[in-house]
Amino acid sequence: MHRFTYFIAVLASFTFQIAPLLNAQHEKLGDAATSKTLHAFFEAEWDYQMEQNPTQASSLGDRRWNDRWRDDSLDAIRKRHEHTRDALVRFNKIDRAKLSSADQLNYDLFKKDLEEDIEEFKFQMYLLPINQRDGLQTADEQTERLRFETVKDYEDWIARLRAFPTAMEQGIALMREGVKAKIVWPKIVLERVPAQIDKQIVANPEESPFYKPFKNFHRDIPLADRDRLSKAAHEAITSAIIPSFQKLKTFFGNEYLKVAPAPVGVWQMPQGAELYAFLTRRFTTTKLTPQEIHDKGLSEVKRLRAEMEAIMGKVGFKGTLQEFFTKLRTDPQFFYKTPEELLDAYRAISKRIDPNLVKVLKTLPRMPYGVTPIPDKIAPDTTTAYYSRPAADGSRAGQYYVNLYKPETRPKWEMMALSLHEAVPGHHLQIALAQELGEIPKFRRFGFYTAFSEGWGLYSESLGEDMGLYDDPYSKFGQLTYEMWRAVRLVVDTGMHQMKWDRQRAINFFLENAPKSENDIVNEIDRYISMPGQALAYKIGELKIKELRERARQVLGDKFDIREFHDAVLLSGAVPLDILERNIDAWIAEKKASKT
C-alpha cells in the first residue's frame, strides 16, 4: 500500500536554478584557515550524529550504519550528552570574528543547537520513547526509507531484525525509568498503543510488516540468494520481532498503562512549567511566552471567525456558524465514497497545482514528489496527511502521505489547502530546495526549524489565492478552516500544557471554531498532548512571513515581486525567525537601492 505509485512529472518542464546565499555581494570575507576548521568541525559532528542515529542516516540515504538501531541505553544517552557538552567547549574555541558573514551565521546556528540540546537534557524527555504516533511499534516504517537494491541491503535489514530485541529491551528500560521519574504520557494517548502493538504480533512471519522487503525482491538480487534471504528474514521475525512485541504488550498492559496519569499536560511532570516554556521557545524560535501565544491565538480565532461568517453569507446559508459547520461535516456532497476515489482526487489536485507554481515562485526544486496512502496500521490514529522528505542522495523522492481511513470523514473542501501545505508550494518545495542548496553545511541543508518549515507550509496555503486555486467559496472556506485550525492550536496547546485545561475542553474549543470532523479533531488534540509546544510553531511562523511580506510590499511598492520575495525567504534554507527577518530586511534594502 505504501509503494510509490505516482510521481509529479510536470516539475521537470521548468527551468531550475539554485541561488547562492542571499546578499553574497556584501559578504564579509573570512580567514581561510578558521573557515576550514569550522567546516571540518561541522563535518565531524555530522558524521558523529549519523553514526549515533543510524535510522536517521538511513532515511537520508547514508547506508553506513544500515545494520543497526540507535543505542538507547541510559549509558549511551548520557555519553551522547557528554559529547554534546564537550563539543560546545571545543566549538567555543573557534574564533567567530575571523569568519565570513555566511560562516558567522552557520556558527551562530550550530552553537544555538548545541546549547538547546544541552538544556533539553535535564528534562529527560528521552524517558518517553513511545506515544500513539511514534515508537518501537512503528519501527517497520523504516522499510519505506531504505533502498533494497543489493544483497547487502537485505542482509543489513536482517541484521536489524536480529538486533531488535536489544532495542526493545532498551525502550522498556527507558519507560521503567520514566515511571520512577513520573515522566509518562497521559493515559488517554497511551491507550491507543496496544492496538498498534497487536498488529505486530502475527501468526505467520510473512504477514509481519517487517517482512515487506522480501515479498518483492529487487530485480538485481540473484535467485540463488532470494530463498536464503527470505528464510533468514522469516527466522529473524519469528525469533526476534514477534517475541519482542509480545514482551512489549505484556509490559505495556501490566505495568505502563496502569501508572499513566489521567490529566493531560506537561505541567504535571517534574519541572513541567520550565519544560513547556523551553519547548515554546525552541519550537517557535522566539521569546514569546505561553501566555502571549495564548492571547495571540484568541485574537486570530476572532479574526478568522469573522471571515468564515462572510463566506457563509456568500453561499446563502441562513443558519448559525455552528450549523454551517455541521453541514460541512455531514453533507454527502462534500465526501468521496471510497479510499480509491479519495486518493485519485488528491492526485488530481496535485496535477492542478503544479503548473501554477510559476505564478508565485522563481526557483523550483529538481526533486519530484509522490502522493501515497498513509499505512493502514497507523491511519486510524494519525492526522489527515503528512510529508516525508527525499533521500539526501536523490535515491528516494519526497512523499505526500494522505489518510484514506474513513473517507466519509475527509471532506473535499479541505483537500486543496492540505495539498498546498504538505506538497507544493509547501513542505516538499521548501525541503527539497534546502537539500539542493550548494554551499551550506549538512546540519543546515537537512536541518529543521519547525517555525520556519511549518510556518512556510501554513503560509503556502494562502498562496492558493495568488495562484487562483480557490475558485469556489467552499475551497476558500477550507483554507480559512486550516488557518483557523492552526490558530486554535495556539489556544489549546497552551491551554492544556500551561493552564491545565482538560482534554474535553480543548476538543470543545476546537469543535466550536472549526468544521474539521470530530475524528480529526480528537486525533489532533491527542497529538498536541504528546508533542507539547510543537503545534505552536505553525501559526507563529506564518504570521512572521506574512508580516515580512507586507513590510516588503509597503517599502518597495512597484519594485516588489512576490516571486523574488519567496526566493529571499527560501534560498538561505531553514533559519530561526529572527534570522529570517534579518535576511528579508537586507533583501528589502538591497532592492530599494537597486535601479531595477
Side-chain angles (χ1 to χ4, degrees):
M1 184 162 185
H2 326 237
R3 189 177 300 138
F4 228 156
T5 54
Y6 178 75
F7 284 91
I8 305 302
V10 70
L11 293 180
S13 66
F14 293 123
T15 300
F16 297 95
Q17 57 174 330
I18 298 299
L21 294 180
L22 298 173
N23 307 310
Q25 59 267 48
H26 304 305
E27 168 75 2
K28 173 200 163 192
L29 298 177
D31 174 70
T34 307
S35 177
K36 184 177 179 180
T37 298
L38 178 74
H39 284 270
F41 193 101
F42 290 154
E43 197 64 30
E45 281 301 300
W46 179 263
D47 275 349
Y48 172 80
Q49 292 299 331
M50 292 299 98
E51 183 178 12
Q52 292 297 307
N53 296 278
T55 56
Q56 181 188 0
S58 295
S59 71
L60 290 171
D62 185 340
R63 304 155 96 174
R64 287 177 287 176
W65 303 282
N66 267 11
D67 60 347
R68 67 190 73 171
W69 306 100
R70 185 173 64 187
D71 185 348
D72 272 337
S73 63
L74 281 169
D75 183 57
I77 290 168
R78 293 187 186 109
K79 284 179 179 175
R80 286 196 288 267
H81 175 60
E82 288 306 315
H83 175 93
T84 306
R85 292 180 59 176
D86 177 67
L88 181 59
V89 171
R90 290 183 287 115
F91 191 70
N92 282 333
K93 293 178 181 177
I94 298 173
D95 190 347
R96 182 184 182 279
K98 291 183 179 179
L99 297 169
S100 67
S101 300
D103 272 340
Q104 285 182 349
L105 173 58
N106 292 330
Y107 181 100
D108 292 345
L109 294 176
F110 194 82
K111 183 175 180 179
K112 182 179 176 65
D113 286 347
L114 287 174
E115 290 172 340
E116 289 185 339
D117 285 345
I118 291 167
E119 183 179 359
E120 183 174 327
F121 183 79
K122 69 182 178 183
F123 299 115
Q124 297 181 280
M125 297 292 281
Y126 54 83
L127 299 180
L128 297 163
I130 285 181
N131 61 37
Q132 80 280 16
R133 289 169 55 86
D134 191 31
L136 290 159
Q137 80 281 15
T138 65
D140 61 279
E141 292 171 22
Q142 188 68 23
T143 60
E144 299 302 317
R145 306 178 187 101
L146 291 169
R147 283 182 287 167
F148 289 93
E149 299 170 346
T150 68
V151 169
K152 186 177 187 305
D153 293 336
Y154 288 90
E155 289 176 338
D156 282 347
W157 184 242
I158 291 166
R160 270 187 171 153
L161 298 181
R162 289 171 175 158
F164 194 72
T166 299
M168 183 64 77
E169 290 286 354
Q170 290 174 348
I172 291 173
L174 290 179
M175 286 186 273
R176 285 200 168 108
E177 287 296 316
V179 171
K180 293 177 189 175
K182 294 185 167 37
I183 299 174
V184 180
W185 291 126
K187 187 181 295 288
I188 194 69
V189 295
L190 293 182
E191 285 175 337
R192 292 174 175 259
V193 174
Q196 299 171 353
I197 298 171
D198 285 342
K199 291 177 182 176
Q200 297 285 7
I201 302 172
V202 294
N204 179 358
E206 293 179 19
E207 295 172 358
S208 168
F210 286 86
Y211 189 81
K212 182 181 175 183
F214 304 90
K215 290 186 173 180
N216 292 290
F217 278 96
H218 189 274
R219 62 183 178 276
D220 292 339
I221 304 301
L223 291 175
D225 286 307
R226 296 185 186 191
D227 185 56
R228 172 181 66 84
L229 294 169
S230 296
K231 286 178 179 177
H234 193 287
E235 187 278 329
I237 290 168
T238 300
S239 64
I241 298 296
I242 296 172
S244 292
F245 282 109
Q246 288 169 332
K247 184 174 290 188
L248 178 61
K249 178 182 173 72
T250 300
F251 165 76
F252 216 87
N254 293 350
E255 296 183 46
Y256 203 56
L257 266 181
K258 289 180 178 179
V259 299
V264 298
V266 295
W267 56 265
Q268 64 194 310
M269 291 184 183
Q271 310 174 82
E274 186 184 356
L275 167 61
Y276 190 60
F278 166 78
L279 293 172
T280 297
R281 291 197 319 274
R282 187 159 207 186
F283 280 121
T284 68
T285 69
T286 71
K287 296 179 181 177
L288 291 169
T289 67
Q291 184 65 57
E292 288 170 331
I293 290 173
H294 188 83
D295 294 341
K296 190 179 289 286
L298 290 172
S299 173
E300 282 291 284
V301 166
K302 182 178 179 181
R303 175 183 67 81
L304 289 162
R305 277 184 73 98
E307 291 192 37
M308 286 178 162
E309 287 166 353
I311 289 185
M312 188 175 74
K314 185 181 293 187
V315 299
F317 189 81
K318 301 301 183 185
T320 66
L321 186 59
Q322 284 298 316
E323 288 169 339
F324 191 52
F325 287 173
T326 299
K327 174 182 172 67
L328 291 171
R329 289 183 186 124
T330 59
D331 192 326
Q333 69 170 306
F334 296 126
F335 300 91
Y336 291 101
K337 290 184 171 60
T338 68
E340 292 75 19
E341 289 176 331
L342 183 57
L343 181 59
D344 288 345
Y346 273 119
R347 290 173 172 169
I349 284 173
S350 291
K351 283 184 177 179
R352 185 179 168 210
I353 293 170
D354 289 335
N356 286 285
L357 291 174
V358 291
K359 296 178 181 177
V360 295
L361 292 153
K362 196 172 180 182
T363 308
L364 299 168
R366 298 178 182 90
M367 180 61 73
Y369 69 96
V371 183
T372 196
I374 288 175
D376 289 340
K377 174 168 56 70
I378 62 168
D381 301 311
T382 196
T383 47
T384 313
Y386 55 80
Y387 172 72
S388 180
R389 70 190 307 156
D393 61 0
S395 62
R396 185 189 68 252
Q399 296 188 51
Y400 167 28
Y401 281 99
V402 294
N403 201 329
L404 307 182
Y405 177 70
K406 289 188 176 180
E408 69 276 11
T409 67
R410 316 278 173 200
K412 298 175 183 178
W413 43 260
E414 73 177 2
M415 294 169 68
M416 178 59 75
L418 181 63
S419 299
L420 291 166
H421 179 113
E422 298 293 347
V424 290
H427 287 329
H428 175 70
L429 183 136
Q430 180 261 311
I431 290 170
L433 274 181
Q435 289 189 187
E436 292 169 14
L437 288 173
E439 299 303 317
I440 63 172
K442 290 174 183 173
F443 85 91
R444 289 191 57 203
R445 189 178 308 157
F446 307 116
F448 192 82
Y449 292 97
T450 307
F452 181 94
S453 298
E454 295 294 358
W456 173 263
L458 178 52
Y459 170 76
S460 294
E461 296 172 21
S462 69
L463 294 179
E465 195 78 54
D466 298 286
M467 291 189 278
L469 297 173
Y470 294 127
D471 51 4
D472 72 85
Y474 290 110
S475 64
K476 176 61 181 175
F477 198 91
Q479 185 252 316
L480 291 176
T481 294
Y482 267 54
E483 191 176 356
M484 175 68 89
W485 169 20
R486 280 40 169 257
V488 164
R489 285 175 170 177
L490 302 186
V491 180
V492 299
D493 198 277
T494 52
M496 290 188 292
H497 293 297
Q498 178 79 14
M499 299 160 191
K500 302 184 181 180
W501 283 23
D502 63 32
R503 176 175 178 263
Q504 192 58 51
R505 181 175 177 182
I507 291 170
N508 290 344
F509 185 86
F510 208 143
L511 286 167
E512 289 162 10
N513 290 289
K516 285 184 71 63
S517 72
E518 187 163 0
N519 180 61
D520 267 356
I521 286 172
V522 169
N523 282 343
E524 281 294 315
I525 294 299
D526 286 352
R527 169 190 161 185
Y528 311 153
I529 290 170
S530 60
M531 297 179 71
Q534 191 267 354
L536 306 176
Y538 299 63
K539 191 66 179 163
I540 298 301
E542 177 239 13
L543 288 172
K544 176 58 69 174
I545 296 171
K546 284 186 172 178
E547 171 197 323
L548 295 174
R549 172 172 161 174
E550 181 58 21
R551 181 188 305 175
R553 190 190 64 79
Q554 289 192 9
V555 171
L556 296 178
D558 291 343
K559 286 186 176 181
F560 178 76
D561 181 328
I562 190 172
R563 298 164 75 243
E564 292 180 2
F565 170 76
H566 290 150
D567 266 7
V569 171
L570 294 169
L571 294 183
S572 285
V575 292
L577 297 184
D578 58 337
I579 302 299
L580 175 63
E581 185 162 13
R582 192 170 81 189
N583 285 350
I584 297 302
D585 284 342
W587 174 75
I588 291 171
E590 183 180 310
K591 286 293 293 180
K592 190 176 179 183
S594 70
K595 294 180 181 179
T596 57

